[in-house]
Amino acid sequence: MQRWITLAVLTSALTGLTGLTGAAAPAWADDEPAATSVTLGEAARIDPNAAGRVRVEVGYVCTNTEEARSLTVSVEQKNPEDATATAFGSSRTAETDIVCDGTPQTREVIVQSKTYNWLPDIDAIVTSTISDIGATPPAAADAKRVTLVAAE
């Protein structure tokens, strides 16, 4: 029964979206769409004072100052010598710390592993997402395989 209700609600919602003929166009339809993008740096550095923290360089652009926004970076690293050991962490930047004025921004994000310490000279998967509600597109992501290096 619950699946049928869910399906009915989704079908109604999709029908409503496709049936917008004659409705007012969205405010951004006449303007140049705002660009939202995020890029990761080529390397991530392990904090020399805390092996459980890694610093990741992130570049982003967003333009919509009136809506909610979010910047999240996550890192995952498998230990090549122990298949059961995976270091993982994620960090979200406070909305008030994200500058959305249309200019390219760079930020160093610290990601704390919640499981194991980061291993130097071993590859990790780094993912970054920026959400810029009200912009077009409303979110962007970048993911890379990078080698974690020990910072000096």
Side-chain angles (χ1 to χ4, degrees), residues 12-65:
S12 296
L14 290 173
T15 303
L17 287 175
T18 58
L20 289 177
T21 55
W28 50 264
D30 296 332
D31 301 332
E32 173 106 7
T36 299
S37 66
V38 64
T39 55
L40 291 164
E42 295 300 320
R45 297 179 321 279
I46 299 171
D47 190 321
N49 300 321
R53 289 191 302 212
V54 68
R55 297 172 185 271
V56 179
E57 290 290 328
V58 179
Y60 69 91
V61 174
C62 60
T63 57
N64 198 336
T65 60

Side-chain angles (χ1 to χ4, degrees), residues 60 64-71 92-100 107 131:
Y60 69 91
N64 198 336
T65 60
E66 302 300 319
E67 292 285 346
R69 51 198 175 269
S70 172
L71 175 64
R92 181 182 177 277
T93 302
E95 182 177 344
T96 55
D97 292 340
I98 302 170
V99 177
C100 279
R107 164 174 293 275
S131 301

